[in-house]
Amino acid sequence: MENTSGLKPLGRAVLVKHYEEEKKKDSLIEIPDIVKDRTLMVEQKVVVIEVGPACWPDEPPRAKPGDKVMISAMAGYMTRGPKDGERYRCVNDRDIFMQIVEE
């Protein structure tokens, strides 16, 4: 998976992006961005975009770019990629606790 965000995780940081499962897009309600950001901090399903160079020094890697994983709720920092304007979340490597293998 290519990182088009313009962000590069350092140290033990992992750059992730939320993804939505297939849903109907017939909604008539427009949700403001501030509400979306707050709800995304609770969301735990993400896809790994890039892994910092010092992640998991004492154990096998928990994830690699492109993996769908579960992260701790309220972990990390929400931001927008300066290059592509998309929402991303930067979490600590230890906040990744489960890989999603089938949906």
Side-chain angles (χ1 to χ4, degrees):
M1 172 163 276
E2 185 180 348
N3 181 358
T4 60
S5 68
L7 301 168
K8 181 165 185 62
L10 303 174
R12 298 180 83 160
V14 180
L15 185 66
V16 297
K17 184 176 183 180
H18 294 87
Y19 69 93
E20 293 185 26
E21 298 176 35
E22 291 295 320
K23 295 181 183 178
K24 290 186 176 181
K25 306 231 181 200
D26 297 345
S27 178
L28 298 175
I29 299 171
E30 182 66 28
I31 299 172
D33 284 346
I34 188 77
V35 174
K36 288 179 187 176
D37 286 345
R38 288 180 181 163
T39 57
L40 286 177
M41 281 304 290
V42 179
E43 180 57 49
Q44 295 178 285
K45 292 182 179 182
V46 296
V47 63
V48 176
I49 302 300
E50 189 171 345
V51 175
C55 290
W56 310 293
D58 56 348
E59 65 179 306
R62 294 184 183 190
K64 64 185 181 311
D67 285 353
K68 291 180 179 179
V69 296
M70 299 285 286
I71 60 172
S72 302
M74 301 304 289
Y77 175 75
M78 289 294 300
T79 188
R80 284 195 181 268
K83 188 174 176 184
D84 63 8
E86 297 286 324
R87 285 186 184 90
Y88 293 90
R89 194 161 154 188
C90 188
V91 298
N92 187 291
D93 61 345
R94 303 285 182 195
D95 289 323
I96 295 174
F97 64 88
M98 187 180 311
Q99 189 171 24
I100 300 170
V101 294
E102 188 174 328
E103 288 185 286

